[in-house]
């Protein structure tokens, strides 16, 4: 019996390396191209041990997957990235290692990390690449008297390899919120004096920190992040509107204070003076605190307006704005709001969120709430604050009622300021738009 046991043990020792060698399989590769970065996702059978290094002339990123076999046709990979030329296989010094080579169009910085299984995906190795940072020249923008549009950043949650929550019928949160965001963008862009900016313009992932940075670069007046809620049971339902909690806001202010080189982003010219003088750190703290308090106050006011309008088109889960610890809302200088459009985990609301008519209602409610707020609180250098100077040129298909609806004023007020005797308008006619 002992001899038999020893023989079995020896046999297992010989078989074990063969099992290890065939332990993993590369099942697929997906490329998610964003305008300024690219994410490459490697789908694997189990968690993989990997090594990577870069080469130049030409630029390449080499990824070695230990004990892995290839079961994917690299020629069939869809690639629309400006950074990635192609993905190919190369020979590794170790027979059990699969060597994947990313041929690049330029030098990049890369970040690799593993992800555990999350429905609908299994084990993954994520490769994020973006161009190497170029030196930036500081350009001082000259002040201008020209009135500007109010800019609203619309942030569709998740994207790319991050589907967000998934409904009982398989609906991806990333898809429905992007559709609602697009509808809201069209409404805002069609509103004179307003412009919308999307933090992601397609199905790709944008880092949470990057979303607020993109909004700041565009000098937005408001950031709205659109999501769909989820819970472990299907019962909860209803929309809600969130703003940043005071605790999270204070911690973010602390980070800004530590990064003296970023003070000028928040404080303009004063930031440049303060960052060169440590004795004036308390002044920086006071100024950043003022900026943050103003931003949070505006966020609460706008959030209350949105709750009121959204509640007219769908059930509310929270009847008042709530405070939460959301990364996308962390900018201390930008009024920021997160809208949960409903519970995708609730079968009834999942069906609603997939409905184009319901998406339109939600987008219209958000647009109406934003416009109502800015009609009363528009920054002084904007067209909306100086609406008395606004004019409309009549185009084909226009009617007085359509024009009034577009600018959210009454037909009678347009007739009065333009001395119109009837509701008839002429093609090419220029009309003054009254203040409300």
């Amino acid at each position: 019996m002992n001899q038999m046991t020893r023989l079995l043990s020896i046999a297992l020792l010989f078989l074990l390396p063969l099992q290890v060698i065939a332990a993993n399989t590369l099942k697929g590769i997906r490329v998610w191209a964003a305008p300024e970065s690219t994410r490459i996702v490697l789908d694997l059978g189990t968690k993989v041990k990997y090594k990577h290094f870069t080469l130049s002339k030409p630029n390449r990123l080499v990824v070695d997957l230990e004990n892995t076999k290839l079961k994917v046709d690299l020629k069939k990979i869809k690639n629309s990235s400006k950074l990635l030329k192609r993905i190919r296989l190369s020979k590794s010094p170790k027979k059990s290692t699969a060597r994947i080579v990313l041929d690049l169009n330029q030098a990049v910085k890369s970040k690799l990390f593993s992800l555990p299984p999350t429905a609908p995906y299994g084990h993954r190795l994520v490769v994020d690449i973006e161009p190497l940072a170029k030196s930036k020249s500081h350009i001082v923008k000259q002040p201008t008297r020209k009135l500007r549009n109010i800019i609203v950043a619309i942030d569709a949650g998740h994207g790319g390899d991050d589907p967000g929550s998934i409904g009982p019928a398989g609906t991806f949160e990333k898809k429905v919120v992007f559709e609602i965001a697009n509808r809201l963008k069209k409404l805002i862009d069609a509103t004179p004096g307003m412009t919308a900016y999307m933090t992601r313009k397609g199905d790709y992932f944008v880092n949470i920190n990057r979303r607020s940075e993109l909004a700041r670069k565009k000098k937005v007046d408001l950031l709205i992040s659109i999501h769909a809620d989820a819970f472990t049971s299907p019962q909860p339902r209803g929309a809600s509107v969130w703003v940043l909690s005071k605790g999270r806001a204070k911690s973010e202010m602390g980070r800004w204070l530590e990064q003296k080189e970023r003070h000028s982003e928040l404080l303009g010219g004063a930031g440049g003076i303060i960052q060169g003088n440590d004795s004036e750190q308390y002044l920086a703290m006071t100024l950043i605190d003022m900026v943050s308090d103003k931003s949070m106050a505006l966020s609460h006011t706008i959030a209350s307006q949105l709750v009121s309008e959204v509640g007219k088109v769908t059930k509310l889960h929270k009847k008042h704005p709530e405070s939460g610890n959301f990364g996308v809302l962390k900018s201390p200088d930008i009024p920021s709001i997160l809208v949960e459009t409903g519970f995708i985990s609730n079968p009834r609301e999942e069906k609603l969120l997939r409905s184009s008519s319901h998406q339109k209602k939600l987008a219209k409610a958000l647009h109406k709430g934003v416009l109502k707020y800015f009609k009363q609180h528009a920054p002084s250098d904007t067209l909306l604050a100086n609406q008395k100077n606004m004019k409309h040129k009549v185009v084909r298909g226009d009617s007085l009622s359509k024009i009034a609806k577009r600018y959210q004023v009454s037909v009678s007020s347009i007739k009065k300021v333009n001395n119109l005797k009837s509701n008839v308008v002429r093609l090419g006619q220029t009309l003054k738009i009254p203040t409300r």
Side-chain angles (χ1 to χ4, degrees), residues 174-435:
K174 69 171 184 177
K175 188 173 186 295
V176 294
V177 299
F178 186 74
E179 289 172 358
I180 294 167
N182 256 329
R183 294 180 191 279
L184 176 58
K185 181 184 188 302
K186 289 176 182 177
L187 290 171
I188 289 175
D189 285 341
T191 304
M194 297 186 78
T195 302
Y197 167 73
M198 296 277 281
T199 59
R200 72 172 176 97
K201 301 175 179 66
D203 187 13
Y204 53 82
F205 180 76
V206 179
N207 185 279
I208 288 175
N209 295 330
R210 183 71 178 145
R211 294 172 190 243
S212 55
E213 287 175 9
L214 289 169
R216 183 175 294 104
K217 281 183 179 179
K218 289 291 180 181
K219 302 186 184 301
V220 306
D221 299 280
L222 172 67
L223 169 66
I224 301 179
S225 189
I226 301 177
H227 289 256
D229 222 332
F231 197 63
T232 51
S233 67
Q235 284 77 28
R237 55 183 294 229
S240 55
V241 180
W242 296 78
V243 294
L244 187 64
S245 67
K246 195 153 190 177
R248 177 63 186 262
K250 292 294 181 187
S251 67
E252 291 300 332
M253 279 172 50
R255 289 192 184 95
W256 278 82
L257 282 166
E258 290 172 6
Q259 300 174 44
K260 294 183 182 181
E261 71 278 2
R262 301 194 70 183
H263 288 180
S264 58
E265 288 185 43
L266 225 59
L267 306 176
I273 298 168
I274 293 167
Q275 79 177 47
N277 191 336
D278 289 336
S279 65
E280 295 183 356
Q281 183 74 351
Y282 286 108
L283 174 58
M285 187 183 298
T286 303
L287 291 173
I288 291 176
D289 197 20
M290 288 171 61
V291 170
S292 179
D293 285 349
K294 181 182 177 182
S295 175
M296 288 189 72
L298 293 177
S299 297
H300 276 279
T301 306
I302 301 169
S304 298
Q305 190 72 63
L306 293 184
V307 168
S308 174
E309 295 302 329
V310 170
K312 295 174 185 177
V313 299
T314 193
K315 178 182 173 61
L316 290 174
H317 184 65
K318 304 282 187 180
K319 294 184 179 179
H320 302 283
E322 296 288 316
S323 298
N325 187 13
F326 298 102
V328 76
L329 303 183
K330 70 178 189 174
S331 295
D333 56 328
I334 303 172
S336 304
I337 293 160
L338 186 142
V339 180
E340 298 280 9
T341 52
F343 277 81
I344 202 168
S345 53
N346 179 288
R348 184 176 175 184
E349 287 205 330
E350 179 190 20
K351 188 176 179 181
L352 277 174
L353 289 169
R354 291 170 63 174
S355 159
S356 60
S357 60
H358 187 69
Q359 290 172 6
K360 286 178 184 176
K361 287 178 183 177
L362 287 169
K364 284 181 179 178
L366 293 173
H367 172 252
K368 192 173 182 180
V370 169
L371 186 57
K372 274 190 175 181
Y373 170 80
F374 280 117
K375 282 275 189 181
Q376 298 173 355
H377 305 94
S380 59
D381 63 338
T382 62
L383 284 163
L384 218 55
N386 297 268
Q387 198 180 48
K388 62 184 178 182
N389 298 323
M390 293 179 66
K391 295 180 180 180
H392 176 86
K393 190 172 183 179
V394 178
V395 298
R396 193 174 301 279
D398 271 349
S399 66
L400 210 54
S401 60
K402 282 185 179 179
I403 297 168
K405 185 178 180 181
R406 182 178 180 183
Y407 291 91
Q408 298 216 350
V409 295
S410 65
V411 170
S412 59
S413 65
I414 295 179
K415 290 174 70 175
K416 184 177 181 181
V417 298
N418 290 281
N419 296 317
L420 299 177
K421 304 300 181 184
S422 71
N423 289 354
V424 178
V425 290
R426 303 185 312 276
L427 189 66
Q429 183 179 5
T430 299
L431 299 173
K432 295 176 184 176
I433 303 300
T435 55

